[in-house]
Amino acid sequence: MSKFYIVATPIGNMGDITLRAIETLKSVDLILCEDTRETHKILEKYDINTSTISYHAQSKLAKVDKIFQLLEEGKNLALVSDAGTPGISDPGAMLVSKIKEKFFNLVVGVPSGTPTTKLREVQVIPIPGPSAVIAALSASGLPTHEFTFLGFLPHKKGRETLFKEIAGAKRTMVFYESPHRILKTLESLVKFCPNKKVCVARELTKIYEEFKTGLPNEILDFLIKNPDKQRGEFTVIIS
Ligand code: SAM
């Protein structure tokens, strides 16, 4: 049986990798990377000599066919993204779905009893580890017993509706944001949910890691007064 591992890698601090992730990356036949140059930094640090190929959001169907072929040949593969858990706002979710569709025929919408050709079995195995959404929630101090993860917010269509949804939400809401949109997003939070508590988690696990909690206008003022704090990677939590 071929194995297809989904391997989480650090979101900043290179020490945040599990022993199992290292063992898996060493043992597989091939590592599929979002960006091979990024992944090579980790591979070099942990003395991992496994071959790599790229697999990213723009990868063509031919690449997926190549991956199918390798699995059919009995090869074990690992999928990594540039940072964190593959498939969480990162390439990979679609590939896992396609693998399950091809090798398991378990996808919703396929009528039961549909004749299938028996293919080699492929086991999809998660190797859990860092993910910015969980790291941010865990140290935010905001309620974590129930939350909704929104990934990246849409830039245009559906954006206002989503902010209205956030304003009316009973659960904690979490999303990813880029440095060049963080002010715009906070302005929208000031407009749509001025009384909600916001926690902005910046540069998690890195030297300039910072959590800032307050009302949307307080966080916006803070970032405007401190332009250097507008840089880096952001995860935003609202409660
Ligand atoms: N798959 C990744 C994960 O599991 O966390 C997320 C990938 S997504 C393309 C990248 C976004 O995650 C960044 O734009 C940022 O919003 C968030 N992120 C990633 N690393 C972060 C960090 N160190 N601190 C805060 N947010 C981070």
Side-chain angles (χ1 to χ4, degrees), residues 103-146:
F103 294 95
F104 295 68
N105 200 22
L106 282 179
V107 167
V108 180
V110 177
S112 61
T114 303
T116 57
T117 322
K118 184 78 181 131
L119 295 166
R120 175 184 284 277
E121 278 185 58
V122 176
Q123 198 181 352
V124 178
I125 303 168
I127 307 291
S131 188
V133 50
I134 300 301
L137 272 169
S138 71
S140 68
L142 300 188
T144 55
H145 58 290
E146 277 188 275

Side-chain angles (χ1 to χ4, degrees), residues 8-13 34 81-91 129-134 136 149 151-152 175-179 201-206 209 232-236:
T9 56
I11 55 169
N13 188 315
E34 184 178 2
S81 61
D82 285 350
T85 302
I88 307 302
S89 295
D90 258 348
S131 188
V133 50
I134 300 301
F149 176 56
F152 285 100
F175 59 85
Y176 289 155
E177 193 49 280
S178 71
R202 189 173 75 89
E203 293 288 84
L204 291 167
T205 79
K206 304 184 199 177
E209 174 180 281
E233 300 198 90
F234 292 89
T235 298
V236 181

Side-chain angles (χ1 to χ4, degrees), residues 14-89:
M14 293 280 261
D16 292 334
I17 187 159
T18 67
L19 295 174
R20 195 168 166 230
I22 297 170
E23 281 161 17
T24 303
L25 294 175
K26 282 187 174 172
S27 72
V28 291
D29 297 296
L30 190 65
I31 303 170
L32 315 181
C33 315
E34 184 178 2
D35 179 342
T36 50
R37 285 163 306 179
E38 273 304 311
T39 301
H40 272 274
K41 293 178 195 162
I42 296 169
L43 301 188
E44 273 156 36
K45 180 164 173 66
Y46 292 101
D47 207 15
I48 299 165
N49 299 310
T50 310
S51 304
T52 57
I53 58 165
S54 69
Y55 176 80
H56 43 75
Q58 288 76 37
S59 287
K60 302 266 175 351
L61 277 176
K63 188 58 91 49
V64 176
D65 282 341
K66 170 80 186 158
I67 293 165
F68 285 171
Q69 191 191 326
L70 291 165
L71 291 168
E72 279 278 9
E73 287 166 9
K75 298 277 193 294
N76 295 327
L77 310 180
L79 174 72
V80 297
S81 61
D82 285 350
T85 302
I88 307 302
S89 295

